[in-house]
Amino acid sequence: MPGWYSASLASLTRETGPKVVKGDPARKREAPKEVSHPVAPTISVSDSSLKFTHVLYNLSPAELYEQALKYEKGSFITSNGALATLSGAKTGRAPRDKRVVKDHTTEDDLWWGKGSPNIEMDEHTFMVNRERAVDYLNSLEKVFVNDQFLNWDPQNKIKVRIVSARAYHSLFMHNMCIRPSPEELEDFGTPDFTIYNAGQFPCNRYTHYMTSSTSIDLNLARREMVILGTQYAGEMKKGLFSVMHYLMPKRGILSLHSGCNMGKDGDVALFFGLSGTGKTTLSTDHNRSLIGDDEHCWGDNGVSNIEGGCYAKCIDLSWEKEPDIWNAIKFGTVLENVVFEEHTREVDYADKSVTENTRAAYPIEYIPNAKIPCVGPHPKNVILLACDAFGVLPPVSKLTLAQTMYHFISGYTALVAGTEEGVKEPRATFSACFGAAFIMLHPTKYAAMLADKMQQHGATGWLVNTGWSGGSYGSGSRIKLAYTRKIIDAIHSGSLLDVNYKKTEVFGLEIPTEVEGVPSEILDPINTWGDKKAYEETLLKLAGLFRNNFATFTDHKIGEDDSLTQEILAAGPIF
Ligand SMILES: Nc1ncnc2c1ncn2[C@@H]1O[C@H](COP(=O)(O)OP(=O)(O)OP(=O)(O)O)[C@@H](O)[C@H]1O
Ligand SMILES: O=C([O-])CC(=O)C(=O)O
Ligand SMILES: [Ca+2]
Ligand SMILES: [Mn+2]
């Protein structure tokens, strides 16, 4: 029995961690001999250190199904074979409850202050929460441990260990991280990063820095993350993504909140965009191989997926619109917070009664044309997705390098969250690098790297509005997915480089006058608005929001290139 399980779970103030055994505790009722403690407890040993905790190590999906169905309320097998689970009170991430330890190194390295996702905590408070999580995990009869990898680039692979209390969490990470072969597991050694997920147990609200009973704590020096008070599995995936946003740029590798796919000729496209703008939907393309749907690295040898799985939104999912994602929902897939028919267990994807953010997590090989290993050459197209619920951004525009950087740093989208009755204004969101919740350094650092790589490899930037057309949310409607797919096809094939363009007012975007398979009149949004005055007003309103947002970046240099910095500052809306 390797001793490292105990080491991982050892409480720092106690002599021993839990005693461990592989397999189902139910089958090993007569506790193994090693549990006996002949020595008298010393002052630093508490009863909890005598407690026996089973470690269920890298269980298979079938074993995890059994654990979930037996022990976790709300777990069911749906008619397609997926495991339906509930994430509890939290059905999305809690960015305001994320804390990062500020120490000598991170104080200078990281982006702190206004706009930054990094809210500080001190080392001591981290240890308080860590102890709370470890004590909770040790108090259980069993915990799950996953040892897996991140990053398909063999030279920059990271070993991660996830300690959790729920089979749901273990299966989620089994699907989302890269799965080691038995040989790789044999030689796994010490992990580079460890998550202690005690999500069922709250943090103590009286602990310094805590503002709720949820806390997601990152300690880069200790290479550890602690989760208390949220069971939403996305916290683990995105927490590790934050870690990659710190580790990779140090090695000259750019980490990206993007989807990525590759055509038959080896042409690679990146899809940036905030949550719900279409990264997963549009990178999953029957005619192209999928490199990944959400998190990538761009290094000297090309791109690599960080993950081993996909995490698709499944609200209103249909076979007609998204057949590959539909077919990926089968045995092994985790279905979060969906509603299904009591008897047939058929999922009702239109049902938002638990949350609008229903999700499916599946291994990437569940997509038939996944490219394994998930790596590819340097990107040819960089597609920025915005779901513009104001309905004023064109369905597609070709960007200059400076405009690409301007929109990358802005990271705009305007999703409409709920869909309640009555007028509901779209709300603009600006999230630097299309992932401000996950970046660790100042946005201009990532932007400079992106500009450099795009320039070096001659990539073209595009802005694609997957949001509203014919008016804002309420009067217009969302652009048909079929049209967006045609636009994306024309970008991939290169045919969109060879058409006529005209320049829009205010945003100065180059828009094509025709795209095969798309009605030409929708390409310039003004055509689709009945009320032209309302269009102008809405356009100026959005331009103003862009300008206000960008104000915080105007005194930052982007890389070494002064002229590019000036061009980027001038690449925003002019009015
Ligand atoms: N024109 C369109 N283009 C893209 N997606 C659309 C369009 N119209 C509707 N949709 C829907 O919008 C959603 C896009 O979600 P998707 O899972 O692709 O987001 P994402 O960018 O991957 O977000 P996250 O980072 O949260 O995973 C899907 O449910 C898709 O069906
Ligand atoms: O992280 C999540 O929970 C979902 C996601 O992909 C995102 O928000 O970008
Ligand atoms: Ca996604
Ligand atoms: Mn994402």
Side-chain angles (χ1 to χ4, degrees), residues 257 274-282 294 311 313 315 322 359 466 478-481 484:
H257 187 210
L274 293 176
S275 190
T277 56
K279 291 184 299 300
T280 300
T281 300
L282 299 170
D294 198 59
Y311 194 32
K313 274 185 176 289
I315 197 70
E322 302 180 64
R359 294 266 179 175
T466 62
R478 193 156 179 189
I479 295 169
K480 285 198 174 67
L481 179 54
T484 302

